[in-house]
């Protein structure tokens, strides 16, 4: 009886500790999103400067991704589906690298290498988040789909997100500039999408091995 109480209490303390860690990482990510948004708005209002993206586009991207992560976290938490706070943090870090790379001219000074690294890691981060969600949904639904389908769905969705980003670049060029500036030529676009795909495949392969 005493040992049962001891193990129950130990289990409760472990769960409490994990919950505190989750809240720490999520709140850290939220603080990061707010900080980047405020810094972008500050630069936009007082310093401007030339960016590959538009200032409005930079601010909107960070804001929309943050909202998307909050909606995903709220929905999964409400339905009692686990969601790694590391996914939240990785989304913030990946987006920050893209934003600061644009604001400080890294896409130009290190081009094309910074762009290639950004697409490779971006594809990996997107796949990590999607894999985390689908894997926990699968567990919640008692393995309702196979590991093979988990791999295929993760990579396919990550690829579609990468395609969507290229499409946003095209729309921005047409609506904001009136001609091609952000979107590269056909070779650049295909390279970006291939790197997104490669990043997602590498990420899922690693996750399958160690998760």
């Amino acid at each position: 009886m005493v040992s049962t109480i001891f193990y129950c209490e130990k289990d409760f303390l472990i769960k409490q500790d994990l919950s505190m860690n989750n809240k720490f990482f999520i709140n850290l990510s939220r603080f990061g999103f707010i900080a980047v948004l405020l810094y972008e708005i500050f630069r936009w209002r007082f310093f401007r400067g030339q960016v590959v993206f538009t200032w409005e586009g930079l601010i909107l991207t960070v804001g929309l991704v943050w909202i998307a992560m909050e909606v995903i976290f709220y929905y999964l938490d409400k339905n009692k589906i686990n969601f790694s706070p590391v996914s939240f943090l990785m989304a913030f870090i990946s987006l920050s690298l893209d934003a600061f790379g644009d604001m400080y001219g890294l896409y130009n000074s290190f081009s094309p290498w910074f762009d290639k690294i950004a697409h490779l890691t971006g594809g990996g981060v997107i796949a990590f988040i999607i894999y985390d969600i689908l894997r926990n949904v699968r567990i919640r639904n008692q393995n309702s789909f196979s590991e093979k389908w988990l791999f295929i769905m993760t990579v396919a969705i990550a690829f579609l997100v990468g395609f969507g980003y290229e499409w946003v670049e095209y729309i921005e060029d047409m609506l904001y500039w009136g001609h091609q500036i952000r979107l590269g030529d056909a070779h650049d676009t295909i390279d970006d999408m291939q790197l997104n795909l490669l990043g997602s495949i590498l990420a899922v392969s690693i996750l399958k091995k160690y998760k």
Side-chain angles (χ1 to χ4, degrees), residues 130-154 157:
I130 294 165
Y131 183 89
D132 184 39
I133 295 168
L134 293 179
R135 176 176 173 271
N136 286 308
V137 168
R138 178 175 179 265
I139 293 169
R140 177 79 159 73
N141 294 323
Q142 299 180 334
N143 299 333
S144 54
F145 50 89
S146 67
E147 285 279 345
K148 179 182 176 182
W149 275 109
L150 175 61
F151 184 97
I152 292 170
M153 287 190 292
T154 300
I157 295 170

Side-chain angles (χ1 to χ4, degrees), residues 90-148:
M90 287 181 71
F92 157 67
I93 292 171
S94 178
L95 209 61
S96 297
L97 288 173
D98 178 62
F100 283 97
D102 201 345
M103 286 188 283
Y104 289 98
L106 299 180
Y107 280 103
N108 295 322
S109 57
F110 292 106
S111 184
W113 294 110
F114 188 84
D115 182 57
K116 292 183 184 301
I117 292 167
H119 279 283
L120 183 69
T121 56
V125 168
I126 293 166
F128 181 95
I129 295 167
I130 294 165
Y131 183 89
D132 184 39
I133 295 168
L134 293 179
R135 176 176 173 271
N136 286 308
V137 168
R138 178 175 179 265
I139 293 169
R140 177 79 159 73
N141 294 323
Q142 299 180 334
N143 299 333
S144 54
F145 50 89
S146 67
E147 285 279 345
K148 179 182 176 182

Side-chain angles (χ1 to χ4, degrees), residues 80-94:
K80 302 191 183 308
I81 299 172
N82 291 330
F83 181 58
S84 171
V86 177
S87 294
F88 217 124
L89 189 62
M90 287 181 71
F92 157 67
I93 292 171
S94 178

